[in-house]
Amino acid sequence: MRRFLLLIGLAVLPARPSAAETVDYLREVKPVLKQRCFACHGSLKQKAKLRLDAAALLRKGGRHGPAVKPADAAGSLLIERISDAEDSTRMPPQGKPLTATQIALIKAWIDQGALAPPGEKPEEDPRAHWAFQKPVRPALPIGPHSAGTRNPVDVFLAAARAKKGVTASRPADRPTLLRRLYLDLIGLPPSRAQLQAFLADPAPDAYEKVVDSLLASPQYGERWARHWMDVWRYSDWYGRRSVPDVMNSYPRIWRWRDWIVRSLNEDCGYDRMIVEMLAADEISPDDEDSLAATGFLVRNWFKWNYNQWMRDNVEHTGKAFLGLTFNCCHCHDHKYDPIAQEEYFRFRAFFEPLELRHDRVAGEPDPGPFKKYVYGVAYGPIAGGRIRVFDEKLDAQTFFYSGGDERNRVAGKPPVVPGAPAALGGDRLKIEPVNLPPQAWYPGLRPFVQREETERRQAAVAAAEASLGSARKTLAEAERLLAEARGAVSANKPPPVVADQMAKRARAIAEAQRTVRLDEARLTVARSDLDCVQARITADKIIHLGANGDAKASSRAASRAERQYNLDVALVAAIQAEIALDRARQIPAPAAQTQALEKQLSSAQTKVAACRKALDSDSTSYTPLSPVYPRTSTGRRTALARWIASKDNPLTARVAVNHVWNWHFGRPFVETTYNFGRSGAQPSHPELLDFLAVELMANGWRLKPLHRLIVTSEAYRQSSSIADSTGNPQSVDPENRLLWRFPPRRMEAEEVRDSLLFVAGELDTAMGGPEVPHEQGQSSRRRSLYFAHHGESKMEFLELFDGANACEAYRRSTSVLPQQALALSNSELELRQGRLLARKLWGAARDEPTFIRTTFEQVLGRLPSAAELRASTAFLARQTRLFEQQKKEIEAASKVAGSDGPSPEPDVRARENLIHALLNHNDFVTVR
């Protein structure tokens, strides 16, 4: 059928262009060849020794002769192969055939002489691509533009502007600059006190002191964690939350979020962060806090398909850290970058041994072992513990498959070995197995586990003793009452009454005796359980931690203590069955019920006999206090992580710097933040990018010095207003790529919500902890960072303001929509915070002009202009009059609204309206 359709298509080819309709090779032919042919016949690969990335090479041909014969399309091998009706021999071999129009154009071009511009050069060797060369610190440009400029950022930018005849704008005013800096570094505006302190500080380094204080603030980590969480695809668990069923990511992954915040605040090196995210379980297996970093890999977990987890690990490790689209070579060799399809699978092999595990955390419930996928079983969120990865399948093999479908394993092709792209030096990695410390592969050895297991059993013993004491008191009371009834006989009370009392009290004694007997057995179990766990802990310490003692004797004692415990548990079950049967016979119960209880007792007695027999045996085996994992790890991910985080890797530092620059200036050097390959964008300032990349590595990969260098530059401190520029830079650089002014931007979603709470003094600054359900977004005062973030649903408020996509946000999109203004204006959160702020500010001001100035400073971070002051004064007066005219209606509505509603007092409500207006002011949601 495909052959028939192709023949039909060729039969109706449009007529060739006439001689007057010359085919443009560069515009019409070469793009088709590039898109469909260069992958196999270009600079990356030359199948059959044929290259098609230049007209001269087309004429030269390959192993089978020239591909093109000028003026003879019918005799050209290229036309023969792209027009072939057979799937097995037609080119290109993958994807759909070239369209009839494309084939007609190529034919016409050949018949017109296969003309091409003189001096056409083939594509460059992909290994020579700028991003694949190790960055070298460039020399600072020297010239008049750099006179008096100390910051290297400004030197490079000034040189670029000088070439275009553009000059930088004037510095921003101090209130604007301070608000910009606060929002940038900590995601919150400055308070009035902080603004006034800065304006009152005449020191020449006043700005630098603020920079240092903000970088030292714990809120810096919260602000910048959200940025990196975008790139690293942070997501809480999701799948079917209404069930609930975990399908993607995993519960308790919030510990990874807290690790990111903590690492940034501690200025941990970016290289170290990469290594911990990919291999903390291998490089720091004893550091419980660092283990949460492997949330980067946990986040990619997908319940239904292990292969999808592997694919996501490959794709997003490549994009996040290297700026490479490995996913493009899942089905074939990369069309642009020097990455073969086999290298894709070699990269996957780093992750092949992975599995998840739950680690117990001190003070939290034991989550138990990780539940592997079972069809039809819903896995709800776990209540405690830490989720992390480990290498479970130490001999895991990665097989080459075709068509992007793991079912299409290529027969006869051996498993691939772990490796990164050879073009980047990734084929020389040294992979060595990692011997793990005992507490890593056997978490039950951790002191807190042993302590908590002991304390739990000690508490059980105390509870059992208390229960037995209570039962014995009940028995004693029952015996006293029976004796009292017997005494009534001698007092010549009516015999029927005495007999009835004695019968009831005799039954009470029998029931109390059963309870005492059962509680005595339960106390024996509790004490036996305590003895058992203490014996197991003693044996564990001797066997695994090198404590003094005889390993064989201690393990034999632990084994016997456990078997004694099992016997005591069986005895309790037998006593319970015996008591139940005894009660049933006294009622009497139906025969079927009695028979079932007799069977239950017989089974319990059989269990007791088996446990007695086991107790007489000799054994050294006993149950560990936790799951036990492999004692070694493959070391694959350690090798990968150290290669990525190496100074010799040409991509890692550049990719990181590109993101940082984007978040400071709203636009990255390389627009394609996740693709630094040959199909990605060229850098706008390549020398500055390389300078900052080298600077990052030279400072131990610490990010705070990089931030400081950027925000103390003149480029960062200049005005964002076009009115403050000189000349006409817009005509030369309308997109502001030369940064002749600071680019203003709309606040990010989290900044908007957090600032609403902050200016009202209501933001809860508590850090860390489990995610807050996003349904509480209008009521909770927690920072937006801590709300549930996942791919199943989003907080509506954050989504309207372009919150991050949990599945991919290497660069956030930004929009300005009417719905945003409506959402802010009608938000219960905003209205409530505005009312609270109005009360607070009026209480401190007490006169209208002061209130207006204070409000502007608190909400917008600046004083009002003279015109704004007049307008605000008139607004308050007008609103007060309007509300006085409607006072009865307002008072009635206020009673319904309650304490959270607007004030019924006209002047108070007018002030609430003014703050509401300022919270909806463009300056509130804009970083200038």
Side-chain angles (χ1 to χ4, degrees):
M1 175 60 73
R2 291 187 64 188
R3 180 179 182 184
F4 171 75
L5 292 175
L6 182 61
L7 291 172
I8 293 295
L10 294 175
V12 295
L13 284 176
R16 296 178 182 176
S18 65
E21 297 174 328
T22 303
V23 177
D24 188 319
Y25 164 72
L26 292 180
R27 184 171 59 85
E28 298 175 283
V29 175
K30 191 167 185 177
V32 175
L33 298 177
K34 181 176 183 179
Q35 181 185 19
R36 302 303 308 279
C37 306
F38 284 10
C40 296
H41 302 284
S43 56
L44 281 170
K45 184 184 295 184
Q46 299 87 42
K47 287 189 176 181
K49 297 185 177 180
L50 172 64
R51 287 186 70 165
L52 303 179
D53 52 339
L57 297 175
L58 280 161
R59 293 190 292 269
K60 177 182 177 184
R63 184 182 298 143
H64 303 294
V68 164
K69 294 181 179 180
D72 184 11
S76 293
L77 183 60
L78 176 64
I79 299 301
E80 176 186 338
R81 298 305 297 275
I82 64 176
S83 304
D84 197 322
E86 292 292 341
D87 290 351
S88 61
T89 53
R90 186 183 57 250
M91 295 294 161
Q94 295 172 335
K96 296 180 180 179
L98 296 187
T99 66
T101 301
Q102 290 171 331
I103 294 174
L105 281 169
I106 295 173
K107 279 187 174 182
W109 172 67
I110 295 173
D111 282 337
Q112 291 172 6
L115 301 175
E120 180 197 12
K121 294 181 179 179
E123 289 197 330
E124 68 171 2
D125 183 335
R127 291 166 295 190
H129 180 58
W130 69 270
F132 302 154
Q133 311 307 307
K134 184 178 176 180
V136 176
R137 187 189 296 272
L140 295 178
I142 299 175
H145 56 271
S146 62
T149 301
R150 293 176 296 173
N151 191 304
V153 170
D154 295 314
V155 175
F156 283 104
L157 290 176
R161 293 192 206 104
K163 291 179 181 178
K164 298 290 185 178
V166 173
T167 56
S169 296
R170 289 187 287 272
D173 62 75
R174 285 166 70 87
T176 298
L177 179 59
L178 188 72
R179 188 169 188 272
R180 176 193 304 169
L181 184 68
Y182 266 76
L183 289 168
D184 191 7
L185 292 186
I186 66 171
L188 299 170
S191 66
R192 285 184 61 242
Q194 290 164 336
L195 171 63
Q196 291 167 354
F198 177 62
L199 296 179
D201 188 349
D205 63 343
Y207 177 78
E208 285 77 6
K209 288 189 293 186
V210 174
V211 170
D212 292 338
S213 69
L214 293 178
L215 290 175
S217 165
Q219 293 165 332
Y220 155 79
E222 292 177 311
R223 164 62 170 164
W224 282 81
R226 182 61 264 178
H227 286 323
W228 289 112
M229 286 159 63
D230 285 6
V231 177
W232 298 332
R233 297 197 332 133
Y234 177 87
S235 172
D236 296 295
W237 72 272
Y238 65 103
R240 295 181 298 171
R241 283 204 162 216
S242 58
V243 174
D245 187 9
V246 177
M247 295 183 187
N248 301 269
S249 189
Y250 218 79
R252 318 299 289 182
I253 200 172
W254 57 264
R255 295 185 189 280
W256 174 38
R257 174 244 292 153
D258 288 355
W259 171 87
I260 298 172
V261 173
R262 184 171 60 254
S263 297
L264 292 173
N265 277 332
E266 294 173 357
D267 209 11
C268 177
Y270 180 75
D271 58 338
R272 178 70 184 187
M273 293 179 73
I274 292 175
V275 171
E276 290 189 1
M277 281 190 282
L278 292 174
D281 57 305
E282 292 185 336
I283 66 160
S284 52
D286 278 335
D287 187 344
E288 296 184 28
D289 290 334
S290 294
L291 291 170
T294 63
F296 175 80
L297 299 173
V298 174
R299 182 268 171 272
N300 295 326
W301 179 84
F302 179 54
K303 169 180 173 179
W304 301 114
N305 191 330
Y306 184 86
N307 286 284
Q308 186 59 48
W309 185 20
M310 295 297 100
R311 287 191 282 268
D312 283 347
N313 282 334
V314 172
E315 176 179 353
H316 298 293
T317 298
K319 287 180 175 179
F321 303 129
L322 297 169
L324 290 178
T325 54
F326 279 100
N327 53 303
C328 291
C329 50
H330 180 212
C331 304
H332 49 73
D333 292 345
H334 204 294
K335 289 179 180 274
Y336 302 102
D337 298 331
I339 309 173
Q341 185 181 9
E342 182 168 340
E343 289 181 310
Y344 171 92
F345 290 100
R346 293 190 66 192
F347 203 86
R348 167 179 167 150
F350 287 117
F351 307 106
E352 203 71 54
L354 278 180
E355 188 51 271
L356 299 187
R357 79 183 228 196
H358 294 159
D359 277 2
R360 186 169 169 176
V361 173
E364 293 188 2
D366 184 357
F370 170 70
K371 298 180 181 68
K372 292 191 177 181
Y373 166 70
V374 178
Y375 184 77
V377 177
Y379 297 151
I382 53 177
R386 176 187 298 102
I387 191 71
R388 48 161 288 197
V389 302
F390 75 108
D391 276 0
E392 179 186 54
K393 304 174 284 291
L394 303 184
D395 57 351
Q397 295 180 321
T398 301
F399 292 94
F400 194 102
Y401 56 79
S402 63
D405 188 338
E406 58 270 12
R407 295 170 296 182
N408 299 334
R409 186 179 295 180
V410 178
K413 195 170 181 64
V416 300
V417 297
L424 298 172
D427 58 338
R428 300 187 295 272
L429 306 188
K430 187 176 182 181
I431 300 175
E432 296 178 332
V434 177
N435 292 319
L436 301 173
Q439 291 183 1
W441 55 263
Y442 178 16
L445 296 173
R446 296 185 183 277
F448 83 84
V449 174
Q450 297 175 341
R451 182 184 66 254
E452 289 182 356
E453 290 299 307
T454 301
E455 289 173 349
R456 181 164 64 85
R457 288 161 174 82
Q458 288 171 337
V461 169
E465 288 174 340
S467 180
L468 177 58
S470 177
R472 285 173 172 166
K473 286 181 181 179
T474 301
L475 175 59
E477 178 64 13
E479 290 172 339
R480 185 188 68 78
L481 292 173
L482 179 59
E484 185 180 275
R486 286 172 176 162
V489 174
S490 60
N492 297 318
K493 289 190 176 182
V497 175
V498 173
D500 184 58
Q501 286 181 342
M502 291 180 67
K504 286 183 179 178
R505 291 173 184 179
R507 287 195 297 271
I509 287 175
E511 186 60 32
Q513 287 172 337
R514 294 188 192 103
T515 303
V516 168
R517 181 186 176 199
L518 185 57
D519 279 359
E520 286 175 342
R522 285 171 171 162
L523 176 57
T524 299
V525 167
R527 287 172 174 166
S528 178
D529 192 14
L530 177 59
D531 292 342
C532 174
V533 78
Q534 288 175 332
R536 288 150 65 198
I537 290 171
T538 298
D540 280 346
K541 289 180 176 179
I542 294 171
I543 296 168
H544 302 300
L545 299 180
N548 293 328
D550 186 320
K552 191 170 184 178
S554 65
S555 60
R556 182 177 289 112
S559 177
R560 178 173 178 77
E562 186 170 27
R563 284 177 278 129
Q564 179 64 58
Y565 167 72
N566 292 336
L567 172 59
D568 294 336
V569 170
L571 286 169
V572 167
I575 292 171
Q576 287 174 319
E578 184 181 333
I579 289 173
L581 180 59
D582 186 30
R583 287 170 178 162
R585 284 170 174 167
Q586 284 186 352
I587 294 176
Q593 181 180 346
T594 302
Q595 290 171 359
L597 291 172
E598 288 173 345
K599 186 176 180 180
Q600 183 178 343
L601 176 58
S602 176
S603 177
Q605 289 171 338
T606 301
K607 178 70 172 177
V608 169
C611 289
R612 288 191 190 280
K613 184 177 180 180
L615 189 61
D616 293 335
S617 64
D618 184 38
S619 173
T620 57
S621 63
Y622 59 91
T623 304
L625 268 64
S626 73
V628 177
Y629 303 98
R631 299 189 178 200
T632 60
S633 192
T634 63
R636 296 182 186 185
R637 287 175 287 112
T638 294
L640 170 66
R642 286 178 172 157
W643 170 74
I644 291 176
S646 167
K647 291 183 178 180
D648 293 327
N649 193 306
L651 290 160
T652 310
R654 284 185 174 121
V655 170
V657 164
N658 194 54
H659 283 302
V660 172
W661 187 266
N662 173 49
W663 294 321
H664 279 303
F665 286 103
R667 193 168 186 179
F669 293 119
V670 179
E671 297 279 1
T672 50
T673 52
Y674 62 87
N675 183 7
F676 273 49
R678 296 167 68 237
S679 61
Q682 291 291 313
S684 58
H685 300 80
E687 289 187 330
L688 178 53
L689 172 60
D690 279 6
F691 179 90
L692 294 176
V694 173
E695 189 74 8
L696 173 65
M697 293 186 286
N699 280 308
W701 296 82
R702 291 163 52 234
L703 290 166
K704 287 186 179 181
L706 179 64
H707 291 305
R708 195 180 195 282
L709 181 65
I710 291 173
V711 301
T712 56
S713 68
E714 294 171 11
Y716 183 86
R717 291 196 264 188
Q718 65 187 326
S719 171
S720 64
S721 173
I722 295 176
D724 287 333
S725 62
T726 56
N728 187 20
Q730 281 184 293
S731 61
V732 178
D733 181 24
E735 294 186 354
N736 193 30
R737 293 300 276 161
L738 297 172
L739 286 175
W740 46 269
R741 67 170 178 142
F742 182 84
R745 64 169 176 83
R746 172 65 63 93
M747 271 187 183
E748 290 178 352
E750 296 85 355
E751 286 177 287
V752 176
R753 183 184 171 279
D754 294 350
S755 293
L756 284 173
L757 290 161
F758 180 79
V759 297
E762 294 295 308
L763 183 66
D764 182 352
T765 57
M767 296 180 67
E771 70 271 20
V772 181
H774 57 60
E775 292 80 6
Q776 298 179 20
Q778 293 288 331
S779 57
S780 173
R781 298 184 297 112
R782 290 296 303 278
R783 194 161 183 175
S784 301
L785 173 76
Y786 298 112
F787 281 87
H789 183 73
H790 53 80
E792 192 169 344
S793 60
K794 301 176 182 177
M795 187 197 297
E796 185 177 0
F797 186 91
L798 296 183
E799 185 174 10
L800 274 170
F801 285 90
D802 306 310
N805 183 329
C807 296
E808 189 165 319
Y810 291 104
R811 185 179 176 192
R812 287 200 196 185
S813 58
T814 303
S815 63
V816 179
L817 303 171
Q819 292 91 329
Q820 294 168 338
L822 290 171
L824 191 58
S825 178
N826 297 312
S827 164
E828 277 300 316
L829 178 70
E830 193 255 75
L831 291 167
R832 188 164 55 251
Q833 300 312 311
R835 293 163 191 154
L836 289 170
L837 181 58
R839 296 189 204 122
K840 292 178 181 179
L841 295 184
W842 181 251
R846 290 302 179 187
D847 68 74
E848 200 167 85
T850 303
F851 173 79
I852 294 172
R853 286 191 292 270
T854 301
T855 298
F856 268 77
E857 283 186 316
Q858 183 71 12
V859 177
L860 302 183
R862 61 174 175 81
L863 286 169
S865 66
E868 288 172 328
L869 182 59
R870 289 193 299 271
S872 298
T873 302
F875 175 82
L876 289 173
R878 184 174 67 252
Q879 292 299 98
T880 301
R881 287 195 303 271
L882 288 172
F883 292 144
E884 285 174 343
Q885 294 168 6
Q886 303 170 4
K887 189 167 185 179
K888 289 184 179 179
E889 294 89 337
I890 291 173
E891 287 177 345
S894 295
K895 291 178 181 178
V896 176
S899 59
D900 284 342
S903 173
E905 298 300 323
D907 57 337
V908 176
R909 192 161 186 168
R911 291 192 289 272
E912 292 175 355
N913 281 189
L914 176 62
I915 289 182
H916 180 64
L918 291 184
L919 289 174
N920 285 272
H921 196 293
N922 191 45
D923 282 359
F924 179 72
V925 295
T926 304
V927 182
R928 298 201 180 277

